[in-house]
Amino acid sequence: MSFFPDVPKIAYEGPTSTNPLAFRHYDANAVVAGKPMKDHFRFAVAYWHTLRGTGSDPFGPGCAIRPWEDGTDSVDMAITRTRVMFEFLQKLGVEFYCFHDRDVAPEGANLRESNANFDRVVAVLKEQQQRTGIKLLWGTSNLFSNKRYVHGAATSCNADVFAFAAAQVKKTLEVTKELGGENYVFWGGREGYSTLLNTDMKRELDHLAKFFHLAYDYKMKIGFTGQFLIEPKPKEPTTHQYDFDAAACINFLRQYNLLDKMKLNLETNHATLAGHTMMHDMVTASAAGVLGSVDANTGNLMLGWDTDQFPTDLYLTTQMMLVILDQGGLGTGGLNFDAKVRRESFEPVDLFHAHIGGMDAFARGLKIAAKMKADGVLSDFIKKRYASWDSGIGARIEAGQVTLEDLEKYMLEKGDADKNVSGRQEMLENIFNRYVETA
Ligand code: XUL
Ligand code: CO
């Protein structure tokens, strides 16, 4: 039985195709910059949006048509949904998926029941993975939807809530290991505050670090080899989230001796909510050696919230692929479409259009970025721009061979600094445009 009877396996038809259910740029096995496209991206589909999104918003209930739903939140329904997911992944030709524990299986009346529900569905997910070769990019625990998490999870003022969250993470770590998951993500759903008038920030941050250390100790104990990732976000749901952006997370990891244990999963719409471009946050993380994975979506810059739209902007995807190529790939990470179709796009086929668009935008971005890199148009300019550091006084400063006195002596003798040259931003933007148009 098929859940998408009218949708064929999505094929690559090339840039001239006008078939909306085909790829025009994503050609999974085509080699670009030394490896097949699919290995540059390691695309993943997000269970919570694609299978569990209903299109509800603060003004109205869900309106998505999902013919396979029977209106219950039963384990049987959860098992049916796994079949929908794997048919979707196979037709789309995506090799990875990601989930929260509570996306794939219903929460029970207590932790024991929830774990039992989870186990029943995980057994089916495992069969489906074995049958199809599709893999789990990452697992995570939902530590924000249940009302017990009203004050946060690891940063809750209620120690019992910390304990419940820890137990939930323990279970999801075991499941992620069982399913061969390649990473484990911590998004601090409600780890933050709405007002400092009721908040002991120092104590909450200490608890958050304790939580990560406990999880890391358990990961080592059970021999789970997946990479731990923190996902920064500046606000929403709380007024201030502790994992504000890449820089705040790196500082936190360093302060609490976690920098060698965790990397970052950066999300486009979170970076823009923090007032950064995605490229800024990616370069910040990459420079610190902690760019681990990406939640590939986009926001609507006219709105101030996390709209989780599918990425279609070639300037964005080109910039992202430039950073990924520069650091030689994402390792065990990938590009997870943490994105949802608009409420108005309520038919099942819209899920295909959305993912096809995102995959094609990244494929095109990869081709453009690879060509720019091969031609060295940005790197040659940047190298020349910093040439004063390659020899003479610059090289001696970088090598730690000079004191402030030496620099004063050097300048007293020289009289003034060498003339500056233009940064040529507009010329570089024009070059960028030329590659977007032609590559
Ligand atoms: C929330 C968000 C989450 C995480 C996983 O904004 O991005 O879906 O990716 O918990
Ligand atoms: Co995300």
Side-chain angles (χ1 to χ4, degrees):
M1 178 196 157
S2 168
F3 298 99
F4 304 98
D6 303 330
V7 181
K9 168 124 179 71
I10 309 299
Y12 170 72
E13 293 185 2
T16 56
S17 172
T18 56
N19 175 3
L21 289 174
F23 295 117
R24 296 190 309 113
H25 295 284
Y26 181 66
D27 186 4
N29 292 308
V31 173
V32 178
K35 59 181 180 190
M37 276 196 186
K38 69 187 176 78
D39 299 336
H40 281 284
F41 305 124
R42 295 160 57 82
F43 286 127
V45 172
Y47 218 99
W48 53 102
H49 287 310
T50 296
L51 263 285
R52 306 309 308 275
T54 63
S56 67
D57 70 10
F59 306 96
C63 58
I65 299 170
R66 300 291 181 255
W68 52 84
E69 290 288 332
D70 67 4
T72 71
D73 193 18
S74 63
V75 174
D76 286 345
M77 185 62 243
I79 289 171
T80 300
R81 270 187 218 112
T82 68
R83 306 209 162 93
V84 181
M85 182 57 145
F86 279 77
E87 182 184 336
F88 183 74
L89 287 160
Q90 282 196 299
K91 284 195 162 160
L92 196 60
V94 164
E95 290 181 340
F96 294 92
Y97 69 113
C98 300
F99 64 64
H100 299 81
D101 45 3
R102 302 301 180 242
D103 307 328
V104 292
E107 182 145 16
N110 52 44
L111 184 61
R112 206 177 294 282
E113 249 186 49
S114 299
N115 288 349
N117 291 347
F118 200 13
D119 284 337
R120 281 183 59 200
V121 182
V122 166
V124 182
L125 289 171
K126 196 171 176 181
E127 274 168 32
Q128 311 262 25
Q129 287 187 204
Q130 281 164 351
R131 178 177 61 80
T132 60
I134 287 165
K135 292 172 278 198
L136 180 63
L137 186 66
W138 49 263
T140 187
S141 287
N142 178 327
L143 307 178
F144 43 89
S145 294
N146 189 287
K147 68 180 189 301
R148 83 175 65 83
Y149 296 123
V150 62
H151 297 303
T155 64
S156 175
C157 48
N158 179 347
D160 263 10
V161 173
F162 181 106
F164 197 105
Q168 215 180 307
V169 167
K170 174 178 177 290
K171 178 68 183 171
T172 310
L173 281 173
E174 291 161 6
V175 163
T176 303
K177 175 175 188 268
E178 167 81 10
L179 294 176
E182 299 194 19
N183 307 270
Y184 186 88
V185 165
F186 295 87
W187 170 57
R190 292 181 193 275
E191 316 296 18
Y193 62 81
S194 286
T195 172
L196 284 173
L197 298 180
N198 64 15
T199 301
D200 185 339
M201 190 200 280
K202 168 80 169 67
R203 209 165 180 186
E204 293 200 358
L205 288 170
D206 288 350
H207 294 166
L208 187 57
K210 170 76 75 193
F211 193 81
F212 291 144
H213 276 289
L214 288 169
Y216 190 81
D217 290 347
Y218 191 64
K219 157 188 153 84
M220 297 310 276
K221 181 168 178 192
I222 63 174
F224 169 51
T225 53
Q227 173 69 48
F228 270 11
L229 300 165
I230 295 187
E231 184 175 319
K233 184 172 183 179
K235 55 189 163 195
E236 197 194 285
T238 70
T239 307
H240 179 96
Q241 301 271 134
Y242 291 133
D243 301 332
F244 192 94
D245 60 1
C249 286
I250 293 165
N251 180 59
F252 173 86
L253 293 175
R254 203 186 309 276
Q255 180 177 353
Y256 287 101
N257 291 322
L258 287 159
L259 203 46
D260 57 340
K261 301 180 173 60
M262 307 183 88
K263 291 186 174 179
L264 303 184
N265 178 45
L266 297 182
E267 176 164 327
T268 319
N269 203 168
H270 296 178
T272 47
L273 281 178
H276 304 308
T277 62
M278 181 58 163
M279 195 177 188
H280 167 91
D281 247 27
M282 289 178 74
V283 171
T284 302
S286 188
V290 295
L291 174 56
S293 202
V294 166
D295 269 7
N297 63 14
T298 192
N300 180 331
L301 295 180
M302 288 184 291
L303 304 173
W305 66 89
D306 195 14
T307 57
D308 282 346
Q309 293 178 221
F310 277 83
T312 54
D313 179 342
L314 299 182
Y315 289 85
L316 170 69
T317 57
T318 301
Q319 289 175 10
M320 291 171 69
M321 291 318 299
L322 279 171
V323 185
I324 292 172
L325 289 175
D326 273 345
Q327 76 156 32
L330 288 171
T332 62
L335 299 184
N336 167 47
F337 287 115
D338 189 355
K340 58 188 176 205
V341 287
R342 299 303 85 193
R343 188 169 196 263
E344 298 84 347
S345 307
F346 46 74
E347 293 180 7
V349 70
D350 291 310
L351 296 170
F352 281 93
H353 293 307
H355 286 83
I356 290 168
M359 291 163 76
D360 255 356
F362 271 100
R364 185 79 203 288
L366 169 65
K367 288 194 257 180
I368 298 164
K371 183 91 171 56
M372 287 175 89
K373 274 182 71 74
D375 294 350
V377 282
L378 297 181
S379 54
D380 289 356
F381 184 88
I382 292 173
K383 176 133 189 51
K384 236 189 254 160
R385 189 162 182 246
Y386 291 85
S388 68
W389 294 89
D390 294 337
S391 60
I393 194 71
R396 289 177 55 219
I397 297 171
E398 281 194 351
Q401 290 166 351
V402 296
T403 62
L404 268 194
E405 292 101 310
D406 295 332
L407 293 173
E408 183 196 44
K409 183 163 171 285
Y410 167 77
M411 246 330 130
L412 284 173
E413 278 166 16
K414 189 160 180 174
D416 200 355
D418 283 348
K419 275 209 316 245
N420 280 312
V421 291
S422 168
R424 298 261 188 274
Q425 177 171 334
E426 295 76 8
M427 180 193 81
L428 294 167
E429 287 167 348
N430 297 347
I431 291 174
F432 201 106
N433 267 357
R434 174 155 60 79
Y435 278 82
V436 171
E437 287 158 24
T438 57

